[in-house]
């Protein structure tokens, strides 16, 4: 059973917006880090955005700063990635992840242990 389930992917034109959602699949994932990662064909997976859920500290990759926003709704056990001003280079398979860190505010990729199956985002020029 996949711990996390993503939704909201699709196809948009350059400049458009999408919002990805990530929910725990039927059980609580012990975590204080939530994150979104992506992988484009022929490229390595990269971190897009993370949030330390205790205090809301966020991290964004330089390529998405000012365009993407990560957020969480603890009551719904859901994380979101709002993606605005999308560009063709944002085309990738997007994964959400959850994990736990002992370092306040620092959600390194190694902290993420629960993953979703991903959702495809296509941005056309």
């Amino acid at each position: 059973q996949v711990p996390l389930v993503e939704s909201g992917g699709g196809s948009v034109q350059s400049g458009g917006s999408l919002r990805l959602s990530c929910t725990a699949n039927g059980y609580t994932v012990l975590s204080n880090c939530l994150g979104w990662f992506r992988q484009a064909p022929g490229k390595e997976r990269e971190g897009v955005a993370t949030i330390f859920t205790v205090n809301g500290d966020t991290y964004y990759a330089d390529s998405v700063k000012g365009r993407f926003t990560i957020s969480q709704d603890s009551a719904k056990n859901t994380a979101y990635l709002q993606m605005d001003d999308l560009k063709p280079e944002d085309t990738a398979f997007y994964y959400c992840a959850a994990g736990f860190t002992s370092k306040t505010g620092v959600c390194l990729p190694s902290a993420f242990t629960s993953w979703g199956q991903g959702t495809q985002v296509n941005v056309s020029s």
Side-chain angles (χ1 to χ4, degrees), residues 43-84:
K43 295 186 177 181
E44 293 187 355
R45 187 174 63 192
E46 64 171 341
V48 175
T50 66
I51 184 168
F52 183 64
T53 61
V54 176
N55 62 11
D57 281 353
T58 56
Y59 157 84
Y60 294 95
D62 288 343
S63 58
V64 305
K65 279 181 181 177
R67 301 188 298 120
F68 290 13
T69 304
I70 187 171
S71 62
Q72 59 165 332
D73 185 332
S74 299
K76 296 181 179 179
N77 212 18
T78 299
Y80 303 98
L81 185 68
Q82 177 66 42
M83 304 185 295
D84 298 318

Side-chain angles (χ1 to χ4, degrees), residues 10-54:
S11 297
V12 294
Q13 290 189 326
S14 183
S17 297
L18 285 173
R19 188 175 81 156
L20 305 182
S21 300
C22 173
T23 58
N25 189 20
Y27 63 95
T28 300
V29 177
L30 178 63
S31 66
N32 57 13
C33 287
L34 297 174
W36 289 92
F37 296 76
R38 68 185 181 186
Q39 187 166 20
K43 295 186 177 181
E44 293 187 355
R45 187 174 63 192
E46 64 171 341
V48 175
T50 66
I51 184 168
F52 183 64
T53 61
V54 176

